Amino acid sequence: GTDKVFWKGQGFDLETTSTGHYILTLAKNTESNPEVYLNSVTECVKNPKLDLKKKAMKLHRRFAHASSKRIIELLRNAGKSDKELEQELENLQNSCDFCLKHHRSSPRPTVCLPLANEFNELIAMDLKQIDGQWVLHCIDY
């Protein structure tokens, strides 16, 4: 049978991912509409009242401070590519106060000494139920 979750007296079907994790759909309409993004880009790029810096800032903010690479790719896919605007977007990425303050730090390489030196010195175990059968999953580090 299908697994369900009940909330406020109403039952909701749970779907599973390919890895077996549950998914609960929260939105009524899960289809994304690419036209919304295309219209936003076209609206901004075609506006003759905005200078390049303002156009770049408007696009950067509208798409939640996305990287210049992603916005440029969006512009090219929408057929609205402009070399000067692309350059301004790249400059903006390095000068946006919000992005500079909240940017992700570079990932550091993870280096760790071995957890175990001999067979069965360190074991991880997990008990799972798959298709009604109990499975003991063991890993020897």
Side-chain angles (χ1 to χ4, degrees):
T2 305
D3 290 332
K4 286 189 169 214
V5 64
F6 290 90
W7 187 63
K8 292 188 177 183
Q10 189 175 1
F12 297 93
D13 291 331
L14 292 173
E15 299 173 33
T16 54
T17 64
S18 61
T19 58
H21 293 95
Y22 284 119
I23 301 172
L24 176 61
T25 305
L26 300 175
K28 289 182 182 177
N29 183 3
T30 57
E31 294 178 359
S32 62
N33 186 355
E35 288 299 316
V36 171
Y37 295 112
L38 183 58
N39 290 339
S40 297
V41 170
T42 304
E43 210 177 271
C44 181
V45 173
K46 283 187 173 180
N47 189 341
K49 294 179 183 176
L50 293 177
D51 67 350
L52 279 178
K53 199 169 211 160
K54 287 183 180 177
K55 285 181 185 181
M57 180 59 85
K58 189 169 185 175
L59 287 170
H60 182 68
R61 286 183 177 161
R62 179 167 289 170
F63 294 107
H65 295 271
S67 68
S68 60
K69 181 180 175 186
R70 291 189 70 196
I71 298 173
I72 290 168
E73 182 180 334
L74 180 69
L75 287 170
R76 287 179 180 164
N77 290 340
K80 307 297 177 194
S81 182
D82 176 2
K83 292 291 181 194
E84 292 174 350
L85 182 57
E86 289 178 11
Q87 184 60 46
E88 195 59 46
L89 283 164
E90 288 176 9
N91 294 341
L92 178 63
Q93 182 174 337
N94 299 323
S95 63
C96 175
D97 292 333
F98 183 86
C99 291
L100 292 173
K101 184 177 180 183
H102 298 287
H103 79 283
R104 289 185 181 168
S105 58
S106 303
R108 296 180 188 165
T110 318
V111 179
C112 179
L113 294 173
L115 298 173
N117 295 322
E118 296 179 23
F119 180 73
N120 282 343
E121 185 178 344
L122 182 64
I123 298 174
M125 294 190 291
D126 192 9
L127 188 59
K128 298 179 180 186
Q129 191 174 20
I130 301 175
D131 295 329
Q133 297 288 321
W134 286 100
V135 176
L136 179 63
H137 188 235
C138 300
I139 300 172
D140 177 22
Y141 288 97

